[in-house]
PDB file of all heavy atoms in Angstrom:
ATOM      1  N   MET G   1     107.400  98.342 100.658  1.00 97.00           N
ATOM      2  CA  MET G   1     107.666  99.439  99.754  1.00 97.00           C
ATOM      3  C   MET G   1     107.025 100.729 100.266  1.00 97.00           C
ATOM      4  O   MET G   1     107.587 101.865 100.020  1.00 97.00           O
ATOM      5  CB  MET G   1     107.423  99.062  98.360  1.00 97.00           C
ATOM      6  CG  MET G   1     108.243  97.961  97.726  1.00 97.00           C
ATOM      7  SD  MET G   1     110.070  98.385  97.902  1.00 97.00           S
ATOM      8  CE  MET G   1     110.222  99.866  96.839  1.00 97.00           C
ATOM      9  N   MET G   2     105.783 100.593 100.656  1.00 98.00           N
ATOM     10  CA  MET G   2     105.112 101.857 101.197  1.00 98.00           C
ATOM     11  C   MET G   2     105.818 102.402 102.414  1.00 98.00           C
ATOM     12  O   MET G   2     106.022 103.648 102.501  1.00 98.00           O
ATOM     13  CB  MET G   2     103.625 101.420 101.624  1.00 98.00           C
ATOM     14  CG  MET G   2     102.728 101.097 100.506  1.00 98.00           C
ATOM     15  SD  MET G   2     101.134 100.496 101.073  1.00 98.00           S
ATOM     16  CE  MET G   2     100.258 102.109 101.270  1.00 98.00           C
ATOM     17  N   LEU G   3     106.345 101.543 103.220  1.00 98.00           N
ATOM     18  CA  LEU G   3     107.199 101.980 104.371  1.00 98.00           C
ATOM     19  C   LEU G   3     108.470 102.606 103.867  1.00 98.00           C
ATOM     20  O   LEU G   3     108.957 103.596 104.501  1.00 98.00           O
ATOM     21  CB  LEU G   3     107.385 100.863 105.321  1.00 98.00           C
ATOM     22  CG  LEU G   3     106.199 100.328 106.111  1.00 98.00           C
ATOM     23  CD1 LEU G   3     106.655  99.139 106.931  1.00 98.00           C
ATOM     24  CD2 LEU G   3     105.780 101.393 107.118  1.00 98.00           C
ATOM     25  N   HIS G   4     109.034 102.041 102.817  1.00 98.00           N
ATOM     26  CA  HIS G   4     110.247 102.557 102.259  1.00 98.00           C
ATOM     27  C   HIS G   4     110.117 103.988 101.814  1.00 98.00           C
ATOM     28  O   HIS G   4     110.809 104.907 102.207  1.00 98.00           O
ATOM     29  CB  HIS G   4     110.713 101.700 101.076  1.00 98.00           C
ATOM     30  CG  HIS G   4     111.794 102.271 100.245  1.00 98.00           C
ATOM     31  ND1 HIS G   4     113.135 102.152 100.654  1.00 98.00           N
ATOM     32  CD2 HIS G   4     111.755 103.075  99.146  1.00 98.00           C
ATOM     33  CE1 HIS G   4     113.860 102.866  99.646  1.00 98.00           C
ATOM     34  NE2 HIS G   4     113.071 103.399  98.788  1.00 98.00           N
ATOM     35  N   TRP G   5     109.033 104.300 101.067  1.00 98.00           N
ATOM     36  CA  TRP G   5     108.866 105.641 100.569  1.00 98.00           C
ATOM     37  C   TRP G   5     108.392 106.618 101.665  1.00 98.00           C
ATOM     38  O   TRP G   5     108.800 107.746 101.673  1.00 98.00           O
ATOM     39  CB  TRP G   5     107.716 105.520  99.384  1.00 98.00           C
ATOM     40  CG  TRP G   5     108.350 104.944  98.140  1.00 98.00           C
ATOM     41  CD1 TRP G   5     107.773 103.742  97.613  1.00 98.00           C
ATOM     42  CD2 TRP G   5     109.351 105.304  97.378  1.00 98.00           C
ATOM     43  NE1 TRP G   5     108.485 103.386  96.554  1.00 98.00           N
ATOM     44  CE2 TRP G   5     109.545 104.318  96.348  1.00 98.00           C
ATOM     45  CE3 TRP G   5     110.327 106.299  97.432  1.00 98.00           C
ATOM     46  CZ2 TRP G   5     110.441 104.460  95.356  1.00 98.00           C
ATOM     47  CZ3 TRP G   5     111.300 106.424  96.470  1.00 98.00           C
ATOM     48  CH2 TRP G   5     111.333 105.429  95.467  1.00 98.00           C
ATOM     49  N   LEU G   6     107.692 106.037 102.670  1.00 98.00           N
ATOM     50  CA  LEU G   6     107.478 106.929 103.813  1.00 98.00           C
ATOM     51  C   LEU G   6     108.726 107.374 104.481  1.00 98.00           C
ATOM     52  O   LEU G   6     108.847 108.538 104.784  1.00 98.00           O
ATOM     53  CB  LEU G   6     106.631 106.010 104.892  1.00 98.00           C
ATOM     54  CG  LEU G   6     106.333 106.746 106.203  1.00 98.00           C
ATOM     55  CD1 LEU G   6     104.914 107.353 106.119  1.00 98.00           C
ATOM     56  CD2 LEU G   6     106.350 105.757 107.387  1.00 98.00           C
ATOM     57  N   GLN G   7     109.707 106.462 104.600  1.00 98.00           N
ATOM     58  CA  GLN G   7     110.977 106.881 105.252  1.00 98.00           C
ATOM     59  C   GLN G   7     111.782 107.807 104.319  1.00 98.00           C
ATOM     60  O   GLN G   7     112.357 108.835 104.796  1.00 98.00           O
ATOM     61  CB  GLN G   7     111.732 105.650 105.555  1.00 98.00           C
ATOM     62  CG  GLN G   7     113.182 105.865 106.298  1.00 98.00           C
ATOM     63  CD  GLN G   7     113.792 104.582 106.661  1.00 98.00           C
ATOM     64  OE1 GLN G   7     114.054 103.676 105.927  1.00 98.00           O
ATOM     65  NE2 GLN G   7     114.141 104.512 107.985  1.00 98.00           N
ATOM     66  N   GLN G   8     111.773 107.553 103.068  1.00 97.00           N
ATOM     67  CA  GLN G   8     112.520 108.418 102.079  1.00 97.00           C
ATOM     68  C   GLN G   8     111.908 109.753 102.069  1.00 97.00           C
ATOM     69  O   GLN G   8     112.647 110.672 101.630  1.00 97.00           O
ATOM     70  CB  GLN G   8     112.399 107.785 100.682  1.00 97.00           C
ATOM     71  CG  GLN G   8     113.136 106.475 100.611  1.00 97.00           C
ATOM     72  CD  GLN G   8     114.617 106.499 100.927  1.00 97.00           C
ATOM     73  OE1 GLN G   8     115.419 107.356 100.434  1.00 97.00           O
ATOM     74  NE2 GLN G   8     115.179 105.722 101.853  1.00 97.00           N
ATOM     75  N   SER G   9     110.690 109.906 102.430  1.00 97.00           N
ATOM     76  CA  SER G   9     110.095 111.275 102.371  1.00 97.00           C
ATOM     77  C   SER G   9     110.115 111.959 103.824  1.00 97.00           C
ATOM     78  O   SER G   9     109.422 112.943 103.980  1.00 97.00           O
ATOM     79  CB  SER G   9     108.647 111.174 101.875  1.00 97.00           C
ATOM     80  OG  SER G   9     107.855 110.233 102.771  1.00 97.00           O
ATOM     81  N   GLY G  10     110.900 111.457 104.645  1.00 97.00           N
ATOM     82  CA  GLY G  10     111.084 112.114 105.968  1.00 97.00           C
ATOM     83  C   GLY G  10     110.207 111.721 107.125  1.00 97.00           C
ATOM     84  O   GLY G  10     110.076 112.527 108.002  1.00 97.00           O
ATOM     85  N   ASN G  11     109.551 110.537 107.008  1.00 98.00           N
ATOM     86  CA  ASN G  11     108.680 110.137 108.148  1.00 98.00           C
ATOM     87  C   ASN G  11     109.230 108.897 108.675  1.00 98.00           C
ATOM     88  O   ASN G  11     110.061 108.145 108.040  1.00 98.00           O
ATOM     89  CB  ASN G  11     107.292 109.978 107.617  1.00 98.00           C
ATOM     90  CG  ASN G  11     106.646 111.296 107.215  1.00 98.00           C
ATOM     91  OD1 ASN G  11     106.102 112.064 107.982  1.00 98.00           O
ATOM     92  ND2 ASN G  11     106.658 111.658 105.888  1.00 98.00           N
ATOM     93  N   LYS G  12     108.703 108.528 109.819  1.00 98.00           N
ATOM     94  CA  LYS G  12     109.231 107.296 110.533  1.00 98.00           C
ATOM     95  C   LYS G  12     108.438 106.003 110.418  1.00 98.00           C
ATOM     96  O   LYS G  12     107.149 106.082 110.652  1.00 98.00           O
ATOM     97  CB  LYS G  12     109.284 107.674 112.054  1.00 98.00           C
ATOM     98  CG  LYS G  12     110.036 106.615 112.954  1.00 98.00           C
ATOM     99  CD  LYS G  12     110.087 106.995 114.404  1.00 98.00           C
ATOM    100  CE  LYS G  12     110.906 106.077 115.215  1.00 98.00           C
ATOM    101  NZ  LYS G  12     112.398 106.302 114.815  1.00 98.00           N
ATOM    102  N   PRO G  13     109.055 104.963 109.900  1.00 98.00           N
ATOM    103  CA  PRO G  13     108.236 103.665 109.690  1.00 98.00           C
ATOM    104  C   PRO G  13     108.492 102.740 110.873  1.00 98.00           C
ATOM    105  O   PRO G  13     109.486 102.737 111.644  1.00 98.00           O
ATOM    106  CB  PRO G  13     108.910 103.058 108.449  1.00 98.00           C
ATOM    107  CG  PRO G  13     110.283 103.587 108.486  1.00 98.00           C
ATOM    108  CD  PRO G  13     110.322 104.868 109.271  1.00 98.00           C
ATOM    109  N   ILE G  14     107.362 101.952 111.135  1.00 98.00           N
ATOM    110  CA  ILE G  14     107.351 101.002 112.201  1.00 98.00           C
ATOM    111  C   ILE G  14     106.975  99.570 111.557  1.00 98.00           C
ATOM    112  O   ILE G  14     106.035  99.505 110.869  1.00 98.00           O
ATOM    113  CB  ILE G  14     106.427 101.265 113.338  1.00 98.00           C
ATOM    114  CG1 ILE G  14     106.686 102.593 114.044  1.00 98.00           C
ATOM    115  CG2 ILE G  14     106.434 100.117 114.381  1.00 98.00           C
ATOM    116  CD1 ILE G  14     105.601 103.075 114.873  1.00 98.00           C
ATOM    117  N   THR G  15     107.767  98.578 111.756  1.00 97.00           N
ATOM    118  CA  THR G  15     107.405  97.222 111.336  1.00 97.00           C
ATOM    119  C   THR G  15     106.967  96.569 112.689  1.00 97.00           C
ATOM    120  O   THR G  15     107.640  96.344 113.588  1.00 97.00           O
ATOM    121  CB  THR G  15     108.512  96.510 110.687  1.00 97.00           C
ATOM    122  OG1 THR G  15     109.718  96.610 111.429  1.00 97.00           O
ATOM    123  CG2 THR G  15     108.842  97.041 109.290  1.00 97.00           C
ATOM    124  N   LEU G  16     105.663  96.211 112.658  1.00 97.00           N
ATOM    125  CA  LEU G  16     105.086  95.489 113.859  1.00 97.00           C
ATOM    126  C   LEU G  16     105.025  94.020 113.608  1.00 97.00           C
ATOM    127  O   LEU G  16     104.296  93.524 112.746  1.00 97.00           O
ATOM    128  CB  LEU G  16     103.766  96.036 114.079  1.00 97.00           C
ATOM    129  CG  LEU G  16     103.044  95.435 115.386  1.00 97.00           C
ATOM    130  CD1 LEU G  16     103.778  95.904 116.618  1.00 97.00           C
ATOM    131  CD2 LEU G  16     101.601  95.863 115.399  1.00 97.00           C
ATOM    132  N   MET G  17     105.837  93.228 114.366  1.00 95.00           N
ATOM    133  CA  MET G  17     105.726  91.714 114.348  1.00 95.00           C
ATOM    134  C   MET G  17     104.523  91.354 115.111  1.00 95.00           C
ATOM    135  O   MET G  17     104.225  91.796 116.220  1.00 95.00           O
ATOM    136  CB  MET G  17     107.004  91.182 114.841  1.00 95.00           C
ATOM    137  CG  MET G  17     108.260  91.643 114.257  1.00 95.00           C
ATOM    138  SD  MET G  17     108.360  91.291 112.516  1.00 95.00           S
ATOM    139  CE  MET G  17     108.662  89.497 112.632  1.00 95.00           C
ATOM    140  N   GLY G  18     103.770  90.420 114.450  1.00 92.00           N
ATOM    141  CA  GLY G  18     102.458  89.977 114.985  1.00 92.00           C
ATOM    142  C   GLY G  18     102.697  88.724 115.968  1.00 92.00           C
ATOM    143  O   GLY G  18     101.953  87.808 115.812  1.00 92.00           O
ATOM    144  N   GLY G  19     103.662  88.903 116.910  1.00 90.00           N
ATOM    145  CA  GLY G  19     103.757  87.813 117.903  1.00 90.00           C
ATOM    146  C   GLY G  19     102.525  87.465 118.673  1.00 90.00           C
ATOM    147  O   GLY G  19     102.315  86.251 119.077  1.00 90.00           O
ATOM    148  N   GLY G  20     101.736  88.461 118.931  1.00 89.00           N
ATOM    149  CA  GLY G  20     100.449  88.181 119.659  1.00 89.00           C
ATOM    150  C   GLY G  20      99.318  87.906 118.805  1.00 89.00           C
ATOM    151  O   GLY G  20      98.531  86.917 119.040  1.00 89.00           O
ATOM    152  N   THR G  21      99.119  88.637 117.648  1.00 89.00           N
ATOM    153  CA  THR G  21      97.981  88.477 116.869  1.00 89.00           C
ATOM    154  C   THR G  21      98.148  87.044 115.987  1.00 89.00           C
ATOM    155  O   THR G  21      97.086  86.425 115.694  1.00 89.00           O
ATOM    156  CB  THR G  21      97.800  89.581 115.746  1.00 89.00           C
ATOM    157  OG1 THR G  21      99.028  89.950 115.263  1.00 89.00           O
ATOM    158  CG2 THR G  21      97.123  90.783 116.448  1.00 89.00           C
ATOM    159  N   THR G  22      99.313  86.624 115.783  1.00 90.00           N
ATOM    160  CA  THR G  22      99.515  85.253 115.123  1.00 90.00           C
ATOM    161  C   THR G  22      98.878  84.202 116.067  1.00 90.00           C
ATOM    162  O   THR G  22      98.477  83.130 115.561  1.00 90.00           O
ATOM    163  CB  THR G  22     100.964  85.024 114.823  1.00 90.00           C
ATOM    164  OG1 THR G  22     101.468  86.187 114.154  1.00 90.00           O
ATOM    165  CG2 THR G  22     101.026  83.828 113.969  1.00 90.00           C
ATOM    166  N   MET G  23      98.921  84.369 117.420  1.00 87.00           N
ATOM    167  CA  MET G  23      98.327  83.417 118.309  1.00 87.00           C
ATOM    168  C   MET G  23      96.804  83.385 118.146  1.00 87.00           C
ATOM    169  O   MET G  23      96.203  82.277 118.447  1.00 87.00           O
ATOM    170  CB  MET G  23      98.601  83.716 119.766  1.00 87.00           C
ATOM    171  CG  MET G  23     100.159  83.714 120.012  1.00 87.00           C
ATOM    172  SD  MET G  23     100.413  84.142 121.854  1.00 87.00           S
ATOM    173  CE  MET G  23     102.120  84.157 121.883  1.00 87.00           C
ATOM    174  N   VAL G  24      96.234  84.436 117.611  1.00 86.00           N
ATOM    175  CA  VAL G  24      94.748  84.465 117.427  1.00 86.00           C
ATOM    176  C   VAL G  24      94.343  84.014 116.017  1.00 86.00           C
ATOM    177  O   VAL G  24      93.453  83.180 115.758  1.00 86.00           O
ATOM    178  CB  VAL G  24      94.262  85.957 117.651  1.00 86.00           C
ATOM    179  CG1 VAL G  24      92.806  85.973 117.367  1.00 86.00           C
ATOM    180  CG2 VAL G  24      94.603  86.445 119.009  1.00 86.00           C
ATOM    181  N   GLY G  25      94.944  84.531 114.997  1.00 76.00           N
ATOM    182  CA  GLY G  25      94.751  84.169 113.548  1.00 76.00           C
ATOM    183  C   GLY G  25      93.777  85.030 112.859  1.00 76.00           C
ATOM    184  O   GLY G  25      92.581  85.221 113.271  1.00 76.00           O
ATOM    185  N   ASP G  26      94.240  85.742 111.799  1.00 67.00           N
ATOM    186  CA  ASP G  26      93.425  86.697 111.027  1.00 67.00           C
ATOM    187  C   ASP G  26      92.507  85.897 110.120  1.00 67.00           C
ATOM    188  O   ASP G  26      92.876  85.126 109.257  1.00 67.00           O
ATOM    189  CB  ASP G  26      94.354  87.550 110.228  1.00 67.00           C
ATOM    190  CG  ASP G  26      93.630  88.611 109.470  1.00 67.00           C
ATOM    191  OD1 ASP G  26      92.369  88.676 109.619  1.00 67.00           O
ATOM    192  OD2 ASP G  26      94.271  89.331 108.629  1.00 67.00           O
ATOM    193  N   PRO G  27      91.180  86.109 110.252  1.00 67.00           N
ATOM    194  CA  PRO G  27      90.225  85.436 109.394  1.00 67.00           C
ATOM    195  C   PRO G  27      90.001  85.995 108.033  1.00 67.00           C
ATOM    196  O   PRO G  27      89.277  85.488 107.158  1.00 67.00           O
ATOM    197  CB  PRO G  27      88.898  85.452 110.214  1.00 67.00           C
ATOM    198  CG  PRO G  27      89.019  86.730 110.976  1.00 67.00           C
ATOM    199  CD  PRO G  27      90.422  86.872 111.287  1.00 67.00           C
ATOM    200  N   SER G  28      90.572  87.183 107.811  1.00 64.00           N
ATOM    201  CA  SER G  28      90.405  87.897 106.545  1.00 64.00           C
ATOM    202  C   SER G  28      90.721  87.000 105.313  1.00 64.00           C
ATOM    203  O   SER G  28      91.867  86.476 105.283  1.00 64.00           O
ATOM    204  CB  SER G  28      91.240  89.210 106.503  1.00 64.00           C
ATOM    205  OG  SER G  28      90.875  90.056 107.520  1.00 64.00           O
TER     206      SER G  28
END
């Protein structure tokens, strides 16, 4: 939804698929 409102306000959104980072695994 943050990306949605970014686009609605005239800016460009990027959805980044974690094909690489998923191989590592986020410990957060």
Side-chain angles (χ1 to χ4, degrees):
M1 291 305 298
M2 295 176 83
L3 289 173
H4 168 83
W5 292 118
L6 178 95
Q7 185 172 54
Q8 294 302 309
S9 58
N11 294 276
K12 189 179 187 71
I14 300 167
T15 47
L16 181 67
M17 304 299 287
T21 42
T22 309
M23 295 181 188
V24 176
D26 184 3
S28 301

